[in-house]
Amino acid sequence: NLKVGGSVAAGTNTLVGGADLSIDTMTVLNSQVIFDTGSVVNVGTMSVTGTNALTASTLTFTGSGLGMAQGSTLTWTASQVTVGAAGKVAIGSNAVVTLTFGRIDLPGSSGLELGSGSRLRVAGSTLAYALGVGTLTVPSGAVVESATTTRLNILGDLTMQAGSQLTHTANGSAKSYVVDLNVTGNFDLQSGATVDVSSAGFVYGAYSANGYGPGAGRSQGGGAYGGDGGRGYSDIGGGAYGSLSDPSDLGSSGGSGNNSYGGRGGGAAILTVGGTLTLDGTINADGGSSADPTGGSYMGGGGGSGGTVNITAATLTGSGSVRGNGGRGGDGNYDGGGGGGGHIAIRAVSSGNPDLLAFSASGGVGAYPNSNGGSGTIYTRNPLQTSSFNLKVGGSVAAGTNTLVG
């Protein structure tokens, strides 16, 4: 048996030596535990409380697995984790765990248990269920967050219940985070569940500065992606870019005013489903709006552009909604332009009609005259379209500038 830690939060590491270790019970409390590099560790039951980090090359749970106490945190790094047939990884309510794994093998549908309000941050992992027949269920209040641009593979099924969320970490001035999810089985996005990457694209710049991203708005101009950004009072919006049929970029941010930041661009949600995608929830890649400045002669920032939604499913069903709208320009004494709409692409390979979903990729409303963002693009392809596709451009907002169809 092994106990590490106590009531004082660790400021540095604890090394657990030995290449091959067999531990019946392990208790980790407010500690940063590192096993020897290349070690093979077998643990019956592990309990985690407080603020912790755990690094091990190969870790196998032979008993009831790992349990995280309510409100605790764990940063967990390993190349291979295996949970035995009688075990599970149980993340308590409001607990946060960050996984950086090569692969974690789980025993069937109960192998990974997420408590209400918990957050699972994943950086390049494969969640593999025994024989590929398990289901990861994300309950109401729980969040799964991608903290990488690497694909997350779920070898099994995924169910997201009402009130749950899949997202990615908000980006800075460079592309560092997206949702790139591959589900080999079925993905059930239930009504009230969300894939939400809104305002998670390129960040805004400093006051009176340009935004970030390939279609960044200049000072007060709207950010661009599928559609051009609207012009602001003092400068132009960004120019459209990216792929119509296979988008993967982030949305660009709007330029900032002298007392109002531009809106962030929308993020990127790339979903590949080997079975049936039941889309009754919402996928949201909207760009952010610029906050209205207050006081005297202040300049509103430009809205951020919508982002990417890119879906490929063997079978597609459901009546949910997919959005990639541009953000609104800030309304000050001198006004900001609207952000351009994003790029949406949805393909049903074997069965289903993507056009039964509700779509929106409008440009954002500009506060300056004739300064709305350009409309985004919505590309859909059903199983009967072997060499053609459907294209929708436009939405509820009258375009103030152009849409690139390339």
Side-chain angles (χ1 to χ4, degrees):
N1 298 332
L2 178 65
K3 180 179 180 180
V4 183
S7 58
V8 176
T12 186
N13 303 319
T14 299
L15 174 66
V16 179
D20 297 286
L21 300 173
S22 294
I23 303 169
D24 287 336
T25 63
M26 181 172 177
T27 302
V28 182
L29 174 62
N30 294 319
S31 297
Q32 300 171 190
V33 180
I34 299 177
F35 289 94
D36 273 344
T37 302
S39 60
V40 176
V41 182
N42 294 288
V43 178
T45 301
M46 181 185 297
S47 61
V48 175
T49 305
T51 302
N52 305 277
L54 177 65
T55 302
S57 296
T58 302
L59 180 61
T60 300
F61 290 101
T62 58
S64 59
L66 179 142
M68 288 185 61
Q70 177 177 342
S72 58
T73 65
L74 175 64
T75 301
W76 191 4
T77 305
S79 58
Q80 171 71 53
V81 172
T82 303
V83 181
K88 64 181 177 181
V89 174
I91 302 172
S93 60
N94 300 312
V96 179
V97 59
T98 300
L99 302 180
T100 306
F101 290 165
R103 179 181 174 110
I104 177 169
D105 287 284
L106 298 156
S109 297
S110 61
L112 179 59
E113 182 179 288
L114 301 177
S116 176
S118 63
R119 180 176 288 264
L120 175 64
R121 301 183 72 245
V122 184
S125 301
T126 292
L127 305 179
Y129 286 91
L131 304 177
V133 297
T135 299
L136 170 60
T137 298
V138 185
S140 178
V143 177
V144 177
E145 175 186 349
S146 172
T148 180
T149 57
T150 302
R151 171 168 284 191
L152 168 61
N153 296 293
I154 296 180
L155 308 187
D157 298 332
L158 172 64
T159 296
M160 294 186 61
Q161 297 179 343
S164 65
Q165 183 186 97
L166 171 64
T167 187
H168 65 70
T169 307
N171 285 269
S173 60
K175 182 180 178 181
S176 302
Y177 311 106
V178 301
V179 169
D180 186 354
L181 175 66
N182 175 43
V183 180
T184 61
N186 302 318
F187 181 9
D188 183 10
L189 185 69
Q190 297 179 357
S191 178
T194 59
V195 178
D196 189 352
V197 295
S198 60
S199 300
F202 289 108
V203 72
Y204 44 75
Y207 283 155
S208 300
N210 299 344
Y212 287 101
R218 299 177 68 86
S219 175
Q220 295 192 269
Y225 185 26
D228 290 344
R231 179 182 178 85
Y233 174 83
S234 60
D235 218 326
I236 61 174
Y241 60 100
S243 171
L244 173 77
S245 61
D246 193 21
S248 60
D249 292 305
L250 301 171
S252 294
S253 56
S256 295
N258 68 349
N259 194 39
S260 178
Y261 292 117
R264 283 180 171 270
I270 304 167
L271 309 177
T272 305
V273 181
T276 297
L277 170 60
T278 304
L279 203 170
D280 286 321
T282 300
I283 301 178
N284 183 356
D286 288 350
S289 296
S290 174
D292 292 338
T294 58
S297 299
Y298 291 134
M299 299 177 178
S305 76
T308 285
V309 178
N310 189 348
I311 298 173
T312 302
T315 299
L316 177 65
T317 185
S319 57
S321 62
V322 181
R323 293 163 32 190
N325 300 314
R328 182 178 60 84
D331 187 2
N333 291 68
Y334 304 96
D335 301 328
H343 283 303
I344 296 172
I346 302 184
R347 290 163 296 276
V349 177
S350 300
S351 176
N353 183 0
D355 293 309
L356 297 179
L357 299 170
F359 296 106
S360 179
S362 297
V365 175
Y368 190 66
N370 301 313
S371 65
N372 293 347
S375 301
T377 64
I378 300 168
Y379 168 107
T380 60
R381 193 167 184 173
N382 64 53
L384 299 178
Q385 294 172 300
T386 57
S387 59
S388 61
F389 58 90
N390 298 330
L391 178 64
K392 179 180 179 181
V393 182
S396 59
V397 175
T401 184
N402 303 318
T403 298
L404 174 66
V405 179

